[in-house]
Amino acid sequence: MSVSPSHPAEGGQFALLRQRRFAPFFWTQFLGAANDNLFKFAFTVLVTYQLQVSWLPPALAGLVIGALFILPFLLFSATSGQLADKLDKKTLIVFVKRLEIGIMALAAWAFFTTHIPLLLLCTFLMGLHSTLFGPVKFAYLPNHLSERELTGGNGMVEMGTFVAILLGNLAGGLIIAVPEIGAHHVGFSCVALAVIGRLTAQAVPATPATDPGLTINWNPFTETWRNLKLAHGNTVVFRSVLGISWMWFFGAVFLSQFPSFAKEVLHGNEQVASLLLIVFSIGIGTGSLLCEVLSRRHVEIGLVPVGAIGMSVFSIDLYFASSGLPPASSLGLSEFIAMPAHWRVLADLTLLSLFAGLYSVPMYALIQMRSQPTHRARIIAANNILNALFMIASAVIAGALLSAGFTIPQMFLLVGLANAVVAFYIFMLVPEYLIRFVAWVASRLVYRFKVQGDEHIPTQGAAVLVCNHVSFVDAVLLMAASPRPIRFLMDHRIFKVPLLGWLFRLAKAIPIAPQKEDAQAYEAAFEAALAVLREGDLLAIFPEGGITRDGQLQPFKGGVLKILEMAATDGLRPEVIPMGLSHLWGSYFSRVEVRNGEAVAMVRPFRRGIFSRVGLRVGGPMPTAEVTLERLQEGVRALID
């Protein structure tokens, strides 16, 4: 199996386009998405505007073509997930691109002869082509990108997909509109894109099978159920799958209504409808690319609540921006843009789609990182199945609302409010999203937080993180620095602090009381800490036993050694990672103030202004056998000097 690089390449996500491990794969998926949409949109325009087909009226053509394309995702995603786990991913990609050439050759002949039933068959087959490629598309990335590149890589793929959708739709509409020979040119274009995609696929590096001994279950119904159960086995992964599916439900409402919204609400022509699609695609692409910048090149699921908030705020504002627009005749593009009232509509569409990009990319990266490699593709297949179901449900519900008399702006308002409810429900089910959001806000908007050496925090396996204790938000900042959840062993008194206590309980921090005060709670805390290491997770300890009262590093207590001894007795050898927080002394959350002779915190807000600079340095791992309190304390001291 290929090994991901331990350090990301210089230059960020765009540098990946110069590397063989990513570039051929990116262009292969880009060309496939463009071809899908060029074919579908050209076919839709053909039967809507150019041909009169009695058994396929224009009002139903778009729905029928969309349904035929989605149907294979429901029927064959489970099978494609198995194939992606069993076979070398390059082998499967090359097969899919060969299949695309055959389908497009058949479609070209159907365009030449205007054979509508054959074009409908090709629509279904192109859906099958995309179904086979779907699990490979997302299972490929974790094999070739490090954890620090995964968010950027997913952002590039998401951006590329929406740009390809946009260009495919625009090209399909323009080419099919060429008088007399438009359909012929569509056929040639589809075959050409398929051939180029096959050539780029040849350069994709080999990616050995993750589960070569897998026995394929060809029954799509039983395998679909099995895939859903696989995904359900990991709560965080499954809730993320549901979150992504909801995003597709949300997005499908807008995308499906753009033509009607442009015509009936904005009083614009076909060019205005195209502008809405362009703006939406640019927003998604921009949000996807921003994820790497805002996440400091980690898988940062704290961005998901940020995205959800933006999606709701701007879809609700879109209702107000588009309600009560003055009546007008069919506006051309220049006339539409000339009216200032329409700028707010375009801004809302841009921003809600931008936040949708921030919402979805970290979820995709989380699924890739947290899924078992041996059945990662099958979990992604389960994601595709649920995505398809949610998109179908979106179409049905949107149709029902319109039939019930809802206007399109009212529907946007309703989906914005529903998004807030769904997001809140998911974040309460999986508190990790909310916790990471708080950590993200604290490290970006409260402090200017600089992290050095975070590559030493292991992305897999058990480890004990040992850090100095300067303030009440130390744990929050450590959360922000780590790509993985951290369980904290913390003084039981901190749980009595308003808001912070609730947050640490939500984070499943382990309260510990002095042995003399509560011997039973003391022993229970160590047993809980050992259980964290048994599960292969990260455990963080502040071995000073409390927050410093003078800004100096206090003597370390022996609790950390007790945990390591218990772990050794249990056959565990977790890495020990020293960490040092700096420049937090003197902040609002440190005990820098003196009241009635007692050092206290949280007395003078903004005592150091806003965006004060704080830092964290992470040292290299220390072998368990070499850990002593003196060496550990010196290791931490060296990181804060």
Side-chain angles (χ1 to χ4, degrees):
M1 182 173 173
S2 60
V3 180
S4 300
S6 58
H7 300 286
E10 294 298 323
Q13 60 204 107
F14 290 102
L16 293 172
L17 289 175
R18 299 192 298 270
Q19 300 176 29
R20 189 186 165 209
R21 60 194 173 112
F22 182 80
F25 164 78
F26 174 85
W27 291 115
T28 300
Q29 68 86 28
F30 180 93
L31 291 164
N35 212 6
D36 281 344
N37 287 277
L38 189 156
F39 167 78
K40 283 193 301 175
F41 195 73
F43 181 25
T44 304
V45 172
L46 180 70
V47 295
T48 303
Y49 293 101
Q50 299 182 7
L51 296 180
Q52 298 299 319
V53 183
S54 59
W55 51 272
L56 188 62
L60 290 178
L63 289 175
V64 170
I65 291 169
L68 279 173
F69 188 81
I70 290 175
L71 184 58
F73 284 91
L74 295 175
L75 296 178
F76 305 117
S77 282
T79 304
S80 65
Q82 294 178 88
L83 292 171
D85 278 333
K86 183 179 178 62
L87 303 175
D88 182 302
K89 291 174 178 56
K90 175 180 179 175
T91 301
L92 191 53
I93 289 171
V94 168
F95 169 77
V96 169
K97 302 316 286 185
R98 285 174 177 163
L99 178 65
E100 183 183 358
I101 293 173
I103 297 169
M104 289 293 93
L106 189 63
W109 185 82
F111 272 118
F112 294 166
T113 59
T114 60
H115 196 302
I116 302 305
L118 191 54
L119 284 171
L120 290 172
L121 174 63
C122 289
T123 302
F124 178 85
L125 292 175
M126 282 303 286
L128 175 61
H129 150 270
S130 296
T131 301
L132 290 171
F133 189 74
V136 182
K137 174 178 173 179
F138 288 106
Y140 172 90
L141 292 177
N143 290 284
H144 294 274
L145 303 183
S146 69
E147 183 274 332
R148 298 192 73 188
E149 295 171 312
L150 207 50
T151 294
N154 275 282
M156 291 293 290
V157 169
E158 192 83 347
M159 176 276 297
T161 299
F162 274 88
V163 170
I165 291 171
L166 172 62
L167 294 178
N169 281 329
L170 292 177
L174 291 172
I175 296 171
I176 196 68
V178 176
E180 298 183 7
I181 56 172
H184 294 186
H185 285 180
V186 169
F188 290 133
S189 300
C190 288
V191 172
L193 284 177
V195 170
I196 297 170
R198 170 63 185 86
L199 294 175
T200 60
Q202 193 60 39
V204 172
T207 308
T210 52
D211 191 2
L214 177 67
T215 301
I216 302 292
N217 173 18
W218 296 102
N219 185 323
F221 303 104
T222 58
E223 188 59 28
T224 294
W225 181 247
R226 187 183 301 174
N227 283 6
L228 292 173
K229 287 174 67 177
L230 268 177
H232 192 265
N234 185 319
T235 301
V236 174
V237 167
F238 186 67
R239 303 300 183 196
S240 299
V241 166
L242 290 178
I244 289 171
S245 297
W246 168 256
M247 193 276 291
W248 281 105
F249 179 103
F250 179 92
V253 169
F254 289 90
L255 289 169
S256 65
Q257 296 305 315
F258 279 164
S260 298
F261 182 57
K263 181 179 179 181
E264 298 171 14
V265 179
L266 303 180
H267 315 297
N269 61 11
E270 297 89 342
Q271 291 179 326
V272 173
S274 297
L275 176 64
L276 300 184
L277 176 62
I278 291 169
V279 163
F280 194 86
S281 300
I282 289 173
I284 287 277
T286 304
S288 300
L289 294 178
L290 279 175
C291 286
E292 185 184 63
V293 177
L294 296 176
S295 66
R296 291 200 184 100
R297 304 183 74 179
H298 278 304
V299 176
E300 180 51 85
I301 62 174
L303 292 175
V304 175
V306 177
I309 292 168
M311 288 162 66
S312 283
V313 167
F314 292 106
S315 55
I316 291 169
D317 190 67
L318 183 60
Y319 162 75
F320 293 104
S322 58
S323 296
L325 290 173
S329 57
S330 183
L331 299 172
L333 188 59
S334 58
E335 297 169 305
F336 177 82
I337 294 175
M339 297 177 66
H342 295 148
W343 298 352
R344 181 177 168 190
V345 171
L346 295 176
D348 283 333
L349 274 176
T350 303
L351 289 169
L352 76 85
S353 57
L354 183 150
F355 280 98
L358 293 180
Y359 174 92
S360 63
V361 168
M363 281 194 172
Y364 276 118
L366 180 75
I367 292 170
Q368 293 162 340
M369 191 172 77
R370 300 279 183 90
S371 299
Q372 276 295 114
T374 51
H375 51 259
R376 183 184 286 133
R378 279 168 281 171
I379 289 177
I380 292 167
N383 172 66
N384 292 342
I385 294 165
L386 287 175
N387 289 174
L389 287 172
F390 273 64
M391 290 172 72
I392 291 169
S394 171
V396 171
I397 292 172
L401 289 174
L402 291 172
S403 299
F406 279 75
T407 65
I408 294 174
Q410 286 172 342
M411 196 158 59
F412 292 165
L413 172 66
L414 192 61
V415 80
L417 295 172
N419 180 69
V421 173
V422 169
F424 180 78
Y425 177 68
I426 290 175
F427 301 149
M428 288 297 99
L429 283 177
V430 188
E432 188 181 343
Y433 283 109
L434 197 57
I435 293 163
R436 297 290 303 193
F437 171 66
V438 172
W440 185 84
V441 169
S443 63
R444 271 83 168 174
L445 304 182
V446 177
Y447 295 111
R448 285 182 294 166
F449 185 44
K450 182 178 181 181
V451 183
Q452 295 176 282
D454 52 336
E455 67 273 8
H456 294 307
I457 302 175
T459 56
Q460 291 182 336
V464 178
L465 312 180
V466 178
C467 190
N468 59 321
H469 207 358
V470 190
S471 76
F472 283 98
V473 294
D474 294 351
V476 175
L477 293 175
L478 294 191
M479 290 178 200
S482 171
R484 296 167 59 195
I486 303 174
R487 296 284 301 279
F488 291 87
L489 193 65
M490 303 177 70
D491 189 314
H492 70 108
R493 288 168 293 189
I494 203 169
F495 290 85
K496 298 176 183 177
V497 177
L499 191 60
L500 286 175
W502 169 80
L503 177 68
F504 294 138
R505 278 190 289 272
L506 203 61
K508 298 181 181 178
I510 303 166
I512 184 168
Q515 190 172 21
K516 294 179 181 178
E517 185 178 322
D518 190 337
Q520 188 174 1
Y522 176 82
E523 292 300 329
F526 282 100
E527 286 298 329
L530 181 61
V532 172
L533 298 178
R534 283 197 196 108
E535 292 166 8
D537 293 331
L538 298 179
L539 175 71
I541 303 174
F542 300 106
E544 294 166 272
I547 297 172
T548 180
R549 295 175 183 274
D550 58 8
Q552 301 301 309
L553 188 66
Q554 308 299 306
F556 282 12
K557 297 184 178 180
V560 61
L561 295 184
K562 179 173 180 176
I563 289 172
L564 293 175
E565 289 168 4
M566 293 172 67
T569 303
D570 214 48
L572 302 172
R573 293 287 186 274
E575 291 182 333
V576 180
I577 313 294
M579 312 174 85
L581 284 163
S582 58
H583 302 111
L584 269 165
W585 179 252
S587 71
Y588 171 67
F589 292 102
S590 66
R591 285 175 164 158
V592 70
E593 301 288 346
V594 178
R595 293 288 186 270
N596 301 320
E598 182 73 16
V600 294
M602 295 181 285
V603 173
R604 290 171 53 199
F606 310 113
R607 71 182 312 278
R608 282 201 336 200
I610 59 174
F611 304 125
S612 59
R613 189 184 300 277
V614 299
L616 173 70
R617 292 176 64 192
V618 184
M622 300 174 63
T624 306
E626 298 178 13
V627 172
T628 64
L629 282 184
E630 293 75 18
R631 292 191 64 179
L632 200 53
Q633 185 159 352
E634 285 308 308
V636 172
R637 189 187 305 279
L639 295 169
I640 60 177
D641 287 342

